[in-house]
Amino acid sequence: MGELLAVLSGKGGTGKTSVCAALACALAEDGKKVLCIDCDVGLRNLDIALGLSAYEALSFQDVCTGGYTLEEALPHPVFGTLRFLTAPISCTAADVDGGSFQKLLHQARQSFDYVFLDAPAGIEAGFSLAARFADRILLVTGPDPAAVRDAARAGQVLETMGKTSVRLIVNRITRKIGSRLHTTVDDIMDTAGLPLIGVVPEDPQVTLAAARGRPLITSSRKGAAAACRRIACRLQGIPQPIPRRGF
């Protein structure tokens, strides 16, 4: 039985989608069967981070409504065990039928080791859609005060939903930002009120890989790519140190 992971953020600009794509690719690189579902209805861009923008993909709504099967989800041209469903553009998150979506996820559990739900930023309908059915939640924040405060708020909302397996990823960190803000990763954890599963440094390769139409994981073995590989190991229960120095 596969695991459902919702990747969320309290605000935009945290790099949530890039982290989601990198984790999915890292797990596929390890031979895991992975399905990525873009839940950001209306503002979908997970395909770009996965290096799939040049391909036509079915939406999860196409499968939910019965017109297509899960087996027809777009296969990744590089990672053979990774498949992708994009978000629909002809409806809103509030229009998605929860029962049909739950049925899709139940089917996905039977075929994949990991199912990633990339939710829109914020705590609106798309956030709830992804979080509702997730086994584990990865909450991505940047180091700036607004992002951390919004992550704390998102954590509170998840708590009211009964979600207990929530882990924090601090993304886009640099020494300069840390020194100017007079903050540390531990400070961010304390403010957000959540346990940490990983830190990811600011890395120009993230933008360059997307511009070239390539997944980050195939473009680099350092920086953000290496950090996401370590987080992917932790998701599998493989211990990895979490570096806090340099921030």
Side-chain angles (χ1 to χ4, degrees), residues 157-165:
V157 172
L158 292 168
E159 185 176 3
T160 64
M161 295 175 65
K163 297 297 179 178
T164 56
S165 186

Side-chain angles (χ1 to χ4, degrees), residues 118-130:
D118 182 39
I123 55 175
E124 306 303 328
F127 176 99
S128 299
L129 179 70

Side-chain angles (χ1 to χ4, degrees), residues 179-224:
S179 62
R180 287 184 175 179
L181 295 177
H182 304 290
T183 191
T184 67
V185 171
D186 289 332
D187 293 333
I188 294 172
M189 289 173 59
D190 290 342
T191 301
L194 294 167
L196 186 72
I197 193 172
V199 295
V200 181
E202 180 73 70
D203 186 347
Q205 285 299 323
V206 175
T207 302
L208 291 173
R212 294 166 180 161
R214 298 174 56 188
L216 172 66
I217 292 298
T218 66
S219 302
S220 175
R221 300 200 67 86
K222 301 178 181 179

Side-chain angles (χ1 to χ4, degrees), residues 1 25 40 47 83 90 117 121 131 153 176 186 198 205 240:
M1 183 70 73
C25 290
D40 195 350
D47 60 323
R83 288 181 175 260
S90 58
L117 307 176
R153 173 58 182 151
K176 179 182 288 187
D186 289 332
Q205 285 299 323
Q240 292 284 316

Side-chain angles (χ1 to χ4, degrees), residues 230-245:
R230 288 193 291 268
I231 296 172
C233 285
R234 295 182 199 113
L235 291 174
Q236 298 175 77
I238 304 170
Q240 292 284 316
I242 301 180
R244 289 192 174 92
R245 299 182 65 183

Side-chain angles (χ1 to χ4, degrees), residues 5-239:
L5 298 103
V7 185
L8 312 176
S9 63
K11 70 182 291 293
T14 64
K16 166 190 57 65
T17 295
S18 296
V19 169
C20 178
L23 294 178
C25 290
L27 287 165
E29 185 180 54
D30 287 343
K32 302 300 181 182
K33 297 180 69 176
V34 181
L35 174 65
C36 285
I37 303 178
D38 192 337
C39 297
D40 195 350
V41 178
L43 291 173
R44 56 187 187 178
N45 55 26
L46 181 56
D47 60 323
I48 297 174
L50 287 169
L52 294 175
S53 59
Y55 299 82
E56 288 191 16
L58 294 175
S59 76
F60 69 78
Q61 190 78 331
D62 292 329
V63 180
C64 284
T65 56
Y68 297 87
T69 67
L70 190 56
E71 288 71 26
E72 294 175 271
L74 177 67
H76 200 281
V78 177
F79 302 105
T81 59
L82 189 153
R83 288 181 175 260
F84 172 63
L85 290 173
T86 191
I89 58 174
S90 58
C91 67
T92 68
D95 295 327
V96 176
D97 180 72
S100 297
F101 191 64
Q102 184 178 22
K103 182 179 179 181
L104 165 65
L105 297 180
H106 178 73
Q107 293 172 347
R109 282 178 180 275
Q110 314 305 312
S111 302
F112 296 91
D113 300 309
Y114 295 94
V115 180
F116 281 86
L117 307 176
D118 182 39
I123 55 175
E124 306 303 328
F127 176 99
S128 299
L129 179 70
R132 177 180 171 187
F133 304 110
D135 302 309
R136 277 197 280 183
I137 292 171
L138 305 176
L139 188 57
V140 181
T141 183
D144 59 286
V148 177
R149 180 163 59 180
D150 286 350
R153 173 58 182 151
Q156 293 168 357
V157 172
L158 292 168
E159 185 176 3
T160 64
M161 295 175 65
K163 297 297 179 178
T164 56
S165 186
V166 183
R167 297 294 181 268
L168 188 69
I169 296 176
V170 184
N171 190 33
R172 306 186 69 173
I173 64 172
T174 67
R175 283 192 179 96
K176 179 182 288 187
I177 291 176
S179 62
R180 287 184 175 179
L181 295 177
H182 304 290
T183 191
T184 67
V185 171
D186 289 332
D187 293 333
I188 294 172
M189 289 173 59
D190 290 342
T191 301
L194 294 167
L196 186 72
I197 193 172
V199 295
V200 181
E202 180 73 70
D203 186 347
Q205 285 299 323
V206 175
T207 302
L208 291 173
R212 294 166 180 161
R214 298 174 56 188
L216 172 66
I217 292 298
T218 66
S219 302
S220 175
R221 300 200 67 86
K222 301 178 181 179
C228 287
R229 284 190 173 95
R230 288 193 291 268
I231 296 172
C233 285
R234 295 182 199 113
L235 291 174
Q236 298 175 77
I238 304 170

